Amino acid sequence: MAVVQVTVQSSAGLKMLGTAAASVQFSRSLGAAFGTAAVGVVLFAALAVESTQTAELFGEILRRGPELLQTLPAAERTAVEADIGAAFRAAFLTIASFPALATFLAWTIPLRRI
């Protein structure tokens, strides 16, 4: 991401150099927070769509640990693991869409000579 930093600082000029550097870091932090929130929403929404019981159980697994799965009957455990796996696939597809979106946005930025 050094290219972004250099591009922003070059565009800002000497008087706004510190502001430009800070705005890049702030944007990164804000993007990380929104990205994490978006992935969490997708994960828990996918769990709730599959099964509200699985979503509640997943919350308990987060609180008490994965040993909770061992207390379930084998057929139910297999179904819960499949639902959780599907939810994580949706979350990771969401994560994979971020660099795809960033690549598209990077191609839309006009070229500037530094």
Side-chain angles (χ1 to χ4, degrees):
M1 301 316 288
V3 173
V4 172
Q5 190 78 33
V6 170
T7 302
V8 169
Q9 288 176 344
S10 295
S11 297
L14 288 176
K15 288 186 178 184
M16 299 296 287
L17 191 60
T19 303
S23 68
V24 169
Q25 186 57 40
F26 178 71
S27 297
R28 287 180 183 161
S29 297
L30 203 56
F34 281 122
T36 302
V39 171
V41 165
V42 168
L43 176 66
F44 284 98
L47 278 170
V49 166
E50 290 291 324
S51 166
T52 56
Q53 180 186 6
T54 301
E56 292 171 8
L57 183 61
F58 185 69
E60 284 299 312
I61 291 169
L62 291 177
R63 281 186 216 89
R64 293 201 259 165
E67 301 80 28
L68 184 62
L69 278 175
Q70 302 307 320
T71 63
L72 299 174
E76 187 178 349
R77 183 174 56 238
T78 302
V80 167
E81 288 172 349
D83 289 346
I84 291 173
F88 271 96
R89 276 190 290 284
F92 283 116
L93 283 173
T94 301
I95 293 168
S97 72
F98 294 155
L101 177 63
T103 300
F104 170 75
L105 292 174
W107 278 334
T108 62
I109 296 174
L111 283 174
R112 290 187 176 204
R113 283 202 121 70
I114 297 178

